[in-house]
Amino acid sequence: MTTNFSAAEVRAAVPMSHAIEAVREAFADLAAGRFSQPDRLVFGTADNAVLVMSAHHTPTGAAVVKTAGVVLDRDPAIVATLVWTDALGQLTADAAAVTTLRTGAATGVATDLLADPEARKLALLGAGEQAADQVRAVAAVREITELTVYNRGAERAKRLVAALREEFPEMRIDVADTAADAVGDADVVCCVTSASDPLFELSDLPERVHVNAIGSFRPTMRELPDDLVKTASVVVVDQLGAAREEAGEIHHALKHGLRAESDIEELGTALTTRPDRVGRTVFKSVGVAAQDWAVARLLARYARTES
C-alpha cells in the first residue's frame, strides 16, 4: 500500500473531476458544521511565509494537517507536506500537488455554480504552478474552446501555453499582451497571481462574466478591483472568517464599506441557495483545510484499494 504519495502519485490517484466532486462534498459538510477547522497559522511575510492548516471531520473521525512553505520568488513557490490520519492508519503526501489540485477543484465547484452554462472562453491571469490546474478545473465543468493567458513574464506564459496545447489540443490557446486584453471577451476569468494591486479595471470586463481569484492570500495582496467586489451580483468565498482576515479584496471591501459582510456568501451555503447567474460574479478563495481533507481522503481510498 502506498503511504507516502509523491507529486506524480497524487496526480495519478486523483483525476480533477474526482477532486471537484470531493471538494464540493467537503464544502457542503463544512457549511453543515461537520468539520472542526482551526484558523490557519501564518508565520513570516507575504514573500516568505510558513502556513499550517488542519481539519478534523467529525462524522468519520479522519483528520489532515498540512504545513507549507511559500516563497514567491522560488520555483516551485510552494513546498509542503500533508499528513492524513484515520482509524485505519496514516499516510503522507506531497502537499504542493494536493494544494494546486484542491485549489483548482474549488474553482471548478464555484465555476460550475456561478458561470454561464454556455461559457466557452477562459482568461487566465498568471502562469505559475497553480495555473494549469485552474484550466483543468474550469475545463472539467464547462466546454472551454478558447483560452487566453496573460503573465507579466511573457516567457513563462509561453512555456505554460506550450504545455497546455499538448494537454488540450482541441482548445485554441493564445498569449495576451495585457491583462485587459485577456479578459475583454472572457466568459470565465481565473486570477492566479501574487499581485498587490488589481490586475485590471472593471470596465475591462464583459457585462456577464464569472471571475475566480485564488492567488492573493494576505490582506496586503489584491488581484481584483474594488468596484468589481462592490458591484458584483454575487460574491462567494470559501470561508468568510478566513477571507475576512486573509483575502485582500474582501478585507479591503469590508474595511471601506464597499460591501456588507451579509452580502458575501460562503461556497458551502451557496451550493444550497444556488445564487442567480446574472451579471458579474466573483469567487474569492484563500484555501481552507477541508479542501485538503477531501483530496487526502481520495488518496487514502486509492491506497487501500490498490493494496
Side-chain angles (χ1 to χ4, degrees):
M1 181 178 77
T2 301
T3 57
N4 183 11
F5 284 81
S6 67
E9 289 167 336
V10 169
R11 295 287 175 184
V14 184
M16 178 59 76
S17 59
H18 293 188
I20 289 172
E21 292 311 310
V23 167
R24 193 195 314 271
E25 182 180 343
F27 272 113
D29 276 2
L30 184 62
R34 299 188 181 108
F35 277 100
S36 174
Q37 183 178 263
D39 292 341
R40 170 167 41 198
L41 296 175
V42 181
F43 306 100
T45 65
D47 295 333
N48 186 350
V50 175
L51 316 179
V52 181
M53 305 170 65
S54 59
H56 175 267
H57 188 243
T58 305
T60 62
V64 68
V65 177
K66 182 177 78 175
T67 60
V70 183
V71 180
L72 296 181
D73 62 358
R74 180 181 64 196
D75 188 12
I78 302 172
V79 177
T81 299
L82 175 145
V83 179
W84 160 276
T85 304
D86 65 12
L88 297 179
Q90 189 176 82
L91 64 80
T92 61
D94 181 302
V98 172
T99 298
T100 59
L101 182 59
R102 60 81 147 153
T103 304
T107 290
V109 174
T111 299
D112 196 30
L113 177 70
L114 297 172
D116 189 320
E118 300 303 314
R120 297 292 181 267
K121 297 180 180 181
L122 171 62
L124 178 69
L125 307 185
E129 61 196 279
Q130 295 271 11
D133 273 327
Q134 294 293 301
V135 176
R136 294 176 185 122
V138 175
V141 298
R142 292 293 183 271
E143 294 180 15
I144 299 300
T145 58
E146 297 182 34
L147 168 64
T148 304
V149 179
Y150 168 74
N151 190 64
R152 285 190 306 173
E155 287 305 312
R156 193 168 195 177
K158 290 176 182 177
R159 288 197 299 272
L160 174 65
V161 165
L164 289 174
R165 282 174 176 160
E166 288 191 16
E167 186 171 350
F168 299 98
E170 74 288 354
M171 195 182 291
R172 175 181 171 181
I173 306 177
D174 297 306
V175 177
D177 292 329
T178 68
D181 290 341
V183 305
D185 64 350
D187 300 313
V188 179
V189 175
C190 289
C191 302
V192 288
T193 76
S194 57
S196 298
D197 299 306
L199 300 169
F200 50 83
E201 297 181 2
L202 180 66
S203 58
D204 295 328
L205 291 171
E207 291 294 325
R208 174 68 182 104
V209 64
H210 172 63
V211 180
N212 300 296
I214 66 95
S216 61
F217 62 94
R218 300 296 289 266
T220 55
M221 304 166 71
R222 285 190 289 157
E223 297 181 290
L224 308 182
D226 287 344
D227 43 5
L228 173 59
V229 179
K230 179 180 179 179
T231 62
S233 63
V234 180
V235 174
V236 172
V237 298
D238 41 19
Q239 189 177 45
L240 187 56
R244 187 194 305 115
E245 296 301 319
E246 300 175 6
E249 294 89 349
I250 304 303
H251 178 85
H252 190 78
L254 294 175
K255 180 178 179 180
H256 294 279
L258 302 177
R259 197 172 189 98
E261 190 170 304
S262 59
D263 198 26
I264 299 172
E265 197 162 8
E266 293 188 337
L267 182 54
T269 303
L271 290 170
T272 300
T273 61
R274 311 294 299 184
D276 290 335
R277 294 165 166 160
V278 295
R280 298 177 176 118
T281 57
V282 170
F283 172 58
K284 174 59 197 174
S285 173
V286 293
V288 295
Q291 295 166 247
D292 297 308
W293 184 93
V295 172
R297 187 184 195 187
L298 294 180
L299 292 175
R301 288 176 174 174
Y302 178 89
R304 287 155 188 166
T305 299
E306 293 297 305
S307 63

